[in-house]
Each structure stands twice: as structure tokens, then as C-alpha cells.
Amino acid sequence: MRKINILLVDDRAEGLVTLEAVLNSPEYNLVKAASGQEALAHVLTKDFAVILMDVQMPEMDGFETASIIKQREKSRNTPIIFMTANSKADHYVSIGYSVGAVDYILKPFDPHILKSKVAVFVDLYKKNSQLQDQTEFLRDIERRDRLRTLRELEMEGRRRYQNLADAIPQIIFRASPVGDIDYFNQYWLQYTGKSIEESSGKLWKNVVHPKDYPCIEENWKSHKLSQKGFECECRLRQTRTGEFRWHLLRVVPEFNLTELVGWIGVITDIQDQKAVQQELLLAKTLADAASETKSRFLANMSHEIRTPLGVILGFSELLMDPKSSHQEKLESMGIIRRNGQQLSKIIDEILDLSKVEAGKMDVDKTDISVLDLFEGIKAFMNLPAKEKGLELEFHVDGKIPTKIHSSSIRLQQILVNLIGNGIKFSPKGKISVTLSHTQLSETEEPRLCVKVKDSGPGLTWAQIEQLFQPFTQVDTSMTRKHGGTGLGLALSRTLARAMGGDLTVSESNPGEGCEFVLSVATGSLEKVPFVDSLEPQKKPLEKQEEKKTLVLKGLNILLVEDSPDNQFLVKRFLTMEGATVDIANNGVEGVSKARAGEHDIVLMDIQMPELDGYGAITQLRQGGYKKPIVALTAHGMMEERQRCLDIGSNDHLTKPVNRVALIKRIHELSEEAKLQQPEAKLPQPEA
């Protein structure tokens, strides 16, 4: 048996002699090194079962030498035992283990302990060597078995080749070194109906499409010289149907050692793959077009947002100019308000679009007074119509119900968008709004129909086809006359269908305007009166005029809001109506003030530092706080509103804050709170 190599490293000759005397054994080959450099040289040429290394050596100590040994892939797993006589043994032990030592021996050492430790690693080395030898032996057996199996397969291969080629659903052929085909499998016969005799030599080209054969012939000629395989696409005629189908032809050379003995070819039907590729190409074209449309939309959206924003910022600066007259300031405030409403509308459309794309467009339906709804729309849209010199007319065709069950907010949103578009695109003339009631069959739900006819330029049918697509506009040029986000009509149709109706274009003639038809389901009309006019019904005179009074007088309101600007604005709204307002700058401060103070109602912002509105409301309700809480947030999604209600708020109002809606809701909640309070007990008279 071969001796086991053990490396002894010590700069002192007496140290090496001592180690050699202790470990002297006929089965060990003790290799000595007087320095770290000499030890590294031995490691490069020999494998060692274990290395005994002195720590303190000149030039290169034991730690540095061990670190370099461990960096080498072949010696990385060689065990190293450090030896030291230093008194700071613990410190050296720690360093030794960090560089890869497996053990540590302090000088002077016990010879029996040293021999035992070395014997352990020698035994481990022997076992590893045996495992390697056994592994190599098994590999040798495996190689011999593989060669025998390959010889058997080679003998059987030719016999099975024919059966295998005939079994697969692909055309397989073999050609001579010069390219003459001498073999086809059975699938060729099934597909083309031609035997080997009818297809051998160059006769097979009769099956190939005439336009594809020159490409195959050119590949054959060029690759016969280079003796390299090739592939190309071609069409082959199918006998059963007579049609040409696309196939992939793949040819590889067949060698006997270095000599070319023939060509092997496989022909695969790829007609379905080509069809999928065409569909993918079409889908990519459509996706690119959609991406371009969306890019144009984003550029337009940036313009639509920045335009009113620039106006708001500009006229805000004019308001701060002390030279501005009172009339100029009033005009500036009107412009700021109008552009702020436009900016809010754009943001609402974007939020609605995100709901549509997420499949979360909800429509809350309630009972609606048709007369009140259209009276409000008429009052709202009359001003922009008059500013442009247009007439806005409302008519009733037949009779219409005075009440329907639908979404007032969404219905108003659609009508304002339709009438607003009519005003925007009509240079002169009038906008006609006609209401009617229809029910196509007894089983179908009745509908309220609204026709909006403008006197604009009209649309072609090609323009109408893309009119209700999101992100698209009829005029996408940079010189277009009219603004808009390209979302309004797409959202309007989605909302109309969500309310059981639809939005269509009934007629449009270039130069004569367009007529849009909106229909919505009315719900049950049982016991609902019908009218033939939009004129409001005469109401009985009130017995006494309402007293003009401050609506919120006497109310103490806690406003929890981190934005100083919003604090100032909301506080101004409330104090103008007689309320007293206490301010908290974050959720933590809000919870503290609500618990300590006597407030009638709490207005709670949602997004705040330290503690947000959700956490603040939760803490108050869990602590038994009973006063009304209204959440104020810029998040307008339906799920955000529901989340606020679920954790205990009485209502949810979105920013920018609508002054009228805010004051009305606070008044309603304060009145409800008064009704829920227990009646105060009167003092009992003394006996």
C-alpha cells in the first residue's frame, strides 16, 4: 500500500525532529517544511492527509500560510492542525479557526495525543481514498457496460430504424452524398400519395410549391460543398386535400468517421405554427397601436392637467397683487374656481377609468326625482351655453315618470358630459335635450331615454367606431381646437350599461351635428306618476319664511388634519357658519383631544404622520367614543369609503372638500346626535 503523506511545518529544526520522532511510522511519509513558502511548494505537488503547522514563523506565519492553502481548490479540504507555545492561546485559537484550522495543539504537546489526532485524520483520508478508488472502479465498469450496450444498440439500430421512421408522424428521408433521395418513410406516402420510386432522385420536387423549390435547390448546392446541415421553410402539396401546407425542412449530414456518406432529412408540418405567428404578429401590431394611443393620451392628459393648474397658479399670484382691484380679484377667483372644477373632473375620470379596468365600477342606485335632476342640470349647463351664445333646450316626448330608481351621481355625470361635449363642439345654434320613456316588451325593464342633439361638425362612421374607446379622440393632432381627456364617452357608455341601458350615436351627418341617445333602466314604475313637461310642480307656500341663521352655530368641531392649508380652508368654511373649530395636527393628537374635549363632531383626515386616520378612528371607537366622526380623504374609491365606514366613521367625504356638502352633512349628523341623546331628567320637587 502507498504511504500516507503528512506535512510537518516548523521553522525550528528541533521542532521538525520532535514531530518526526513522534509520528515515525512505516505507513507515513513525513514531508518537512521549514517555512510557509516551502510548505506551499509541497502542497502544489502532493496530497496530504493532514498538515501540522507551527503558528509563529518568520516572513510568513502559520495563519497566512493556512489561508493561502485554503484558497486552492485541491487543498481546500486538507485538515490543518496548528501548534503554538504562545501564552495567549485563546486569541490564537480564535484566529486559527477563522482561517480554517480543524484542531489546535499547545506546546509542549503530549506525544500520545498528537499521534491519536493525526491517526484520526489519516484514517479519514484512507476512507476517502477508498471511496474514490471504488468510485473510479464503478465508473470503469459503467464505461465497459456502456460500450457493450452501444455495440448492441448499433447492431439493433439499423433493424429498428425502418420501424421507427415509419411510426412517427413526420416525413423522414435519406439522400446520397450528392443529394439524390433514395429513401422515404411511410408518412411521405400517406401525405403525398407517391411511392419511393415516384419520389426518388429529383422526382420529389413535384410535391414542392414552385415558388419554394429554388430556395431548397440553392441550399442543397451550397451545403453539399461545405458538408454542413441546413434548414428552410417550404410548402408541400397534400394529396388528400390538394392544398399546400407550410413545412420546416431540416437536413443534417451523415458521416462515417470523417467521410460524408449521406444526408438525413426531417420535414415537419408547421402550418398551425405559422397561423399562430400571424396571430401574434397581428396582436403585436394591435398592442403597438394601443401603446401609441396610450402615449398620445398621456401626453394629452399632461396638457389637460397642466393647463388648468397653470391658470390656478397664475391667477393665485394675481390675487396676491395689492394693485389688483376688487373686481379683478372677483374675476380671478371665478377663473380659479372654474379651472379647479375642471381639474377635479379630470381626476375623477382617471379614477373612474381605473375602476373600470380593475372591474370594480360600482353603481349605487337610489330613488331619483327626474324633475329635480334635470332642473339642476339645466341650471348648471345654462351658463356655459350662454357664454358661447348657444341655446340649451329641454323637451319631453310623450310622458315620462317623475321618479326612477338609478344612480343620481352617475346619471348626472353622463348628462353633463354629453351636454358639455355638445356645447364644446357647437360653434353656433342650439343644444336640444329630449326625454322619453320606452319599454320594448312586457318582459323588458322600462327605460328613460335622453337624446342630446348638437349643432357641431358631426362625425363620420369611421370616427364613431372609435368614439367610445378609452384613450382615443377623433382629433389627436397638436393643433386640435378642443380639449378633453378622451375618457368621457368611454366612461359614460360603461356607466350607462351598468345602469341597465346604453349610450349610442343615433345619427350624425358631417356639418349637421350629432345625436347621442342615452338610456337607463328606471326600475319599477308602479304607482309612479307621469308628466309631459319638465316644468317643476307648484309647491304650496310655506307658512313662514325660513329664518336666515348660521347653520352650525353653537357646534364645537374637532378638525384632525396635518396640512396647514387644509386646516385654514376647512376652519374658514366652518367658522363662517358659526362653528367653533379645534385643530389637531396628527392622529395621536387627534385621539388625545377627542377624548379630553367636549366636541360635537370630529372631522378626521386619513393620510397623516405618526398615526393615520384609520388607526385614530379605530382607537376612538374601541375606547368607547360615541360622537360622530366624518372621514376626509383624497382617496375617492368605493372600497376606501367602505373601509372608513367599517372601522366606525359615520360618513366619508372626498377632497377637495365641497363646502356646501360638508356643512350639510355636519348639520345632519349633529341633529341625529341630538335625537339619540337621552332626555335630561327634571329635578324632583322636595317633599
Side-chain angles (χ1 to χ4, degrees), residues 180-195:
D180 293 332
I181 296 180
D182 55 21
Y183 167 76
F184 279 106
N185 67 343
Q186 286 296 315
Y187 195 74
W188 169 268
L189 176 62
Q190 297 173 14
Y191 191 87
T192 65
K194 295 183 178 296
S195 64

Side-chain angles (χ1 to χ4, degrees), residues 448-489:
L448 179 69
C449 295
V450 184
K451 295 181 180 179
V452 180
K453 171 75 174 176
D454 61 50
S455 53
L459 298 169
T460 65
W461 287 110
Q463 292 172 330
I464 291 174
E465 287 182 358
Q466 65 175 11
L467 193 61
F468 296 99
Q469 298 298 322
F471 312 114
T472 60
Q473 291 176 299
V474 171
D475 183 7
T476 59
S477 67
M478 295 298 291
T479 59
R480 59 198 180 100
K481 297 180 180 179
H482 308 285
T485 62
L487 298 177
L489 289 175

Side-chain angles (χ1 to χ4, degrees), residues 391-435:
E391 295 182 28
L392 180 58
E393 299 178 350
F394 286 78
H395 307 282
V396 174
D397 183 8
K399 290 190 175 185
I400 59 172
T402 57
K403 184 180 70 173
I404 63 173
H405 188 74
S406 189
S407 172
S408 175
I409 295 175
R410 296 303 187 183
L411 187 53
Q412 182 176 347
Q413 180 180 349
I414 299 172
L415 291 170
V416 168
N417 184 64
L418 291 178
I419 298 172
N421 282 347
I423 295 172
K424 182 194 301 183
F425 293 105
S426 298
K428 59 181 179 179
K430 64 180 180 180
I431 312 298
S432 177
V433 182
T434 304
L435 282 75

Side-chain angles (χ1 to χ4, degrees), residues 143-185:
R143 282 194 296 268
R144 291 198 298 270
D145 289 343
R146 188 182 299 114
L147 288 174
R148 184 174 63 255
T149 302
L150 288 175
R151 285 195 296 271
E152 293 174 354
L153 289 174
E154 185 177 359
M155 295 173 58
E156 192 177 357
R158 294 188 178 276
R159 179 175 60 82
R160 291 189 173 183
Y161 177 79
Q162 179 75 40
N163 295 333
L164 179 63
D166 290 339
I168 63 176
Q170 287 175 299
I171 297 172
I172 296 179
F173 65 87
R174 185 184 183 279
S176 66
V178 297
D180 293 332
I181 296 180
D182 55 21
Y183 167 76
F184 279 106
N185 67 343

Side-chain angles (χ1 to χ4, degrees), residues 53-56 82-86 89 92 104-108:
M53 185 174 300
D54 187 28
V55 172
Q56 293 179 320
F82 280 120
M83 300 180 297
T84 181
N86 196 293
Y92 279 96
Y104 224 98
I105 295 178
L106 296 177
K107 297 179 181 179

